[in-house]
């Protein structure tokens, strides 16, 4: 297993730790940042999520720079992103920081795309992530981080950055899902 794939696996391993700090009411206290009170557990969850999200860039960087791109990496990297984002969205709905419909839209798209990838894999094809899909993932991760941080520092400006990013992420999720389907519909039609 090469370094980029190990980094991707590490991202997956960070998910339960992230969920622990997001969902378990740990008695770690609260802090006030820019007139916004936030629990220390939520700050730690945000920090872990930022590290996990950063590994998405890091594994891709090493894979491209050292020509370590593998079929396993093409499969596991987007899957790791989907697992991280799905866990975060479900957790954010649970702690009532985002509406459930946004999580449902985003997670539904991820299931559909994963299904197409599985059909492709059964046919011997590996579908790498598209640039639009990468932008979708980036906006999702920014939206999640901003939400975890209670929109800090934008609360000081009364600017709803976290909400705006959630809506942008939802729109890009739908757009990239339609684009993904259109580009790969031949795989589905071939398997029917």
């Amino acid at each position: 297993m090469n370094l980029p794939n190990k980094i991707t696996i590490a991202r997956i391993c960070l998910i339960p730790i992230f969920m622990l700090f997001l969902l378990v009411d740990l008695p770690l206290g609260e802090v006030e940042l820019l007139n916004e009170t936030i629990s220390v557990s939520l700050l730690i969850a945000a920090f872990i999520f930022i590290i996990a999200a950063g590994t998405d860039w890091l594994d891709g960087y090493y894979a491209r720079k050292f020509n370590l791109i593998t079929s396993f990496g093409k499969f596991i990297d987007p899957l790791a992103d989907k697992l991280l984002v799905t866990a975060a969205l479900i957790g954010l709905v649970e702690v009532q920081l985002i509406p459930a419909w946004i999580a449902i839209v985003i997670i539904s798209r991820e299931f559909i795309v994963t299904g197409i990838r599985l059909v492709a894999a059964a046919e011997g094809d590996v579908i790498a992530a598209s640039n639009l899909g990468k932008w979708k993932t980036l906006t999702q991760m920014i939206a999640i981080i901003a939400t975890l941080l209670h929109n800090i520092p934008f609360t000081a400006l009364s600017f709803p950055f976290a909400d705006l990013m959630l809506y942008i992420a939802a729109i890009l999720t739908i757009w990239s899902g339609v684009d993904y389907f259109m580009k790969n519909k031949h795989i589905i039609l071939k398997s029917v």
Side-chain angles (χ1 to χ4, degrees), residues 43-58:
L43 278 177
I44 294 171
F47 180 71
I48 294 168
F49 187 88
I50 290 167
I51 291 171
T55 65
D56 184 35
W57 173 84
L58 192 62

Side-chain angles (χ1 to χ4, degrees), residues 14-192:
L14 284 173
I15 295 170
I17 301 167
F18 161 71
M19 294 301 286
L20 171 74
F21 284 97
L22 177 61
L23 297 176
V24 177
D25 188 20
L26 299 171
L28 301 175
E30 297 178 332
V31 294
E32 189 170 315
L33 299 170
L34 300 173
N35 296 325
E36 182 72 28
T37 302
I38 187 169
S39 75
V40 172
S41 288
L42 200 55
L43 278 177
I44 294 171
F47 180 71
I48 294 168
F49 187 88
I50 290 167
I51 291 171
T55 65
D56 184 35
W57 173 84
L58 192 62
D59 62 15
Y61 171 79
Y62 279 117
R64 286 184 297 277
K65 181 171 181 168
F66 298 108
N67 196 26
L68 297 172
I69 298 170
T70 64
S71 291
F72 177 74
K74 287 180 187 178
F75 175 76
I76 197 70
D77 181 59
L79 182 61
D81 295 340
K82 288 173 186 10
L83 291 171
L84 178 63
V85 167
T86 299
L89 291 172
I90 292 170
L92 289 170
V93 169
E94 173 68 20
V95 297
Q96 300 178 353
L97 289 177
I98 65 168
W101 73 266
I102 287 186
I104 291 166
V105 166
I106 293 172
I107 293 168
S108 295
R109 182 263 188 208
E110 302 306 348
F111 274 119
I112 292 166
V113 168
T114 300
I116 294 170
R117 284 182 188 275
L118 291 173
V119 170
E123 299 291 325
D125 296 321
V126 176
I127 304 171
S130 68
N131 284 334
L132 186 56
K134 291 176 183 179
W135 280 105
K136 176 262 320 171
T137 300
L138 178 64
T139 59
Q140 288 174 352
M141 290 187 177
I142 291 170
I144 290 166
I145 292 166
T147 301
L148 286 167
L149 294 175
H150 287 211
N151 201 44
I152 296 169
F154 299 99
T155 50
L157 305 171
S158 297
F159 180 68
F161 178 76
D163 292 338
L164 179 65
M165 288 307 298
L166 277 172
Y167 291 119
I168 291 171
I171 291 165
L172 274 178
T173 296
I174 294 167
W175 181 15
S176 67
V178 170
D179 179 67
Y180 191 90
F181 179 80
M182 296 308 291
K183 287 181 178 173
N184 297 292
K185 67 182 175 187
H186 64 281
I187 293 171
I188 296 167
L189 294 173
K190 185 170 68 172
S191 68
V192 175

